[in-house]
Amino acid sequence: MAESPAVKVLFVGDVVGGVGRRALAALLPALRERHRPQFVVVNGENAAGGVGITERTARELLDLGADAITLGNHAYRHREVYGFLDREPRIVRPANYPKGSPGHGHTVVERDAVRLGIVNLAGMVFMTAMRSPFSEVDAVLAELRGKTDALVVDMHGEATSEKVAMGWHLDGRVLACLGTHTHVPTADARVLPGGTAYITDVGMTGARGGVLGVKREQALQRFLTLTQVRFETSDEDPWLNAVLVEADGDGRATSIETLLVPARL
Ligand SMILES: [Fe+2]
Ligand SMILES: [Fe+2]
């Protein structure tokens, strides 16, 4: 990798509903104080009522101190956000979605003379996307060559195999390849041999007392009866799930630390 400055990034897993936003608001100041990340990146695909994101909830995440927001398969859930996805450079939806669809798949944010690139990808195993995330990320990296000092890829996917494979595909080419979407943190955070920080899933920032952030009675009712049940966001036992990635001066990750923090709201 090319010469680049040291960098520290806090990446927060899928923020689910109002309770997730409140957990982030409650915990982020202390996390900033303690870890002093230059950049905070937040996956916001569940920020609005548990599914999707709106302009208002996106602005709330940015106002809380997110330098960039990544999304996923729920990016287009709320039609009203489409214009905002086009206008706001700090929010990204999967790069391998149709070129003409709202928003963009990568962005570059700058702080302390460090340019951090952020790329969002959607998996294609048990999930819909337009193009392979593997060839797509190659194209994005080629486009960003020379324009960033470090790159973080949010690989939003259902299948662990696809995310592990993406980690190997990107090893030595980006600072971090971080999995999102399942809302369950995995125990495999590590720096790959080429210097890329990797985790299969960061987890979620939301209510652990539910089922992936949904009220557990409602999720259970669907499993038990196979009927349509309206899902609401659980607010029981909120936690913040995140990772902290650090890089030295040559652009290689030196550490990735999982942060699983209960929120007392
Ligand atoms: Fe999610
Ligand atoms: Fe998702």
Side-chain angles (χ1 to χ4, degrees):
M1 286 183 195
E3 187 80 6
S4 45
V7 60
K8 203 189 260 196
V9 180
L10 179 71
F11 184 99
V12 179
D14 304 30
V15 171
V16 183
V19 69
R21 303 196 310 271
R22 289 193 296 281
L24 183 66
L27 294 169
L28 191 55
L31 290 172
R32 270 191 187 286
E33 182 73 28
R34 177 160 182 199
H35 300 289
R36 305 213 167 269
Q38 280 131 312
F39 298 99
V40 176
V41 180
V42 176
N43 183 297
E45 74 141 6
N46 305 98
V51 192
I53 194 163
T54 57
E55 179 169 347
R56 185 182 68 78
T57 47
R59 284 190 190 283
E60 191 178 324
L61 297 180
L62 293 168
D63 289 345
L64 285 175
D67 294 288
I69 299 170
T70 57
L71 297 170
N73 55 308
H74 296 307
Y76 295 149
R77 180 65 175 241
H78 301 286
R79 203 179 280 267
E80 64 106 78
V81 82
Y82 293 2
F84 185 72
L85 296 181
D86 283 330
R87 286 193 307 277
E88 173 54 64
R90 293 172 293 174
I91 187 165
V92 290
R93 48 78 166 163
N96 51 338
Y97 275 14
K99 297 273 186 211
S101 293
H104 41 270
H106 62 83
T107 191
V108 181
V109 293
E110 190 168 345
R111 187 181 293 280
D112 307 333
V114 180
R115 298 164 302 169
L116 181 73
I118 296 122
V119 185
N120 194 195
L121 297 171
M124 289 188 93
V125 180
F126 311 125
M127 195 177 273
T128 307
M130 205 65 183
R131 297 173 299 282
S132 158
F134 295 90
S135 54
E136 187 71 26
V137 79
D138 291 345
V140 172
L141 261 52
E143 194 179 329
L144 287 175
R145 190 161 297 143
K147 297 177 183 161
T148 67
D149 300 299
L151 268 160
V152 171
V153 174
D154 174 348
M155 173 61 187
H156 195 83
E158 184 77 49
T160 49
S161 59
E162 194 179 22
K163 293 195 269 188
V164 171
M166 182 60 78
W168 289 119
H169 184 62
L170 292 174
D171 186 25
R173 304 164 68 197
V174 302
L175 169 63
C177 174
L178 309 173
T180 58
H181 174 72
T182 72
H183 293 198
V184 178
T186 54
D188 61 341
R190 63 169 166 155
V191 177
L192 297 172
T196 294
Y198 175 81
I199 188 168
T200 298
D201 210 293
V202 177
M204 74 168 171
T205 296
R208 201 177 61 165
V211 175
L212 311 186
V214 166
K215 282 186 179 168
R216 65 172 178 266
E217 311 77 43
Q218 297 171 345
L220 265 171
Q221 198 188 342
R222 188 181 283 187
F223 280 115
L224 289 170
T225 66
L226 302 184
T227 58
Q228 282 299 320
V229 180
R230 209 173 92 82
F231 281 172
E232 293 164 312
T233 305
S234 167
D235 56 9
E236 195 177 322
D237 191 20
W239 282 60
L240 176 142
N241 293 176
V243 292
L244 189 70
V245 175
E246 276 189 80
D248 59 17
D250 67 1
R252 293 167 61 95
T254 50
S255 69
I256 174 168
E257 184 186 349
T258 304
L259 304 176
L260 308 175
V261 190
R264 305 195 202 293
L265 304 178

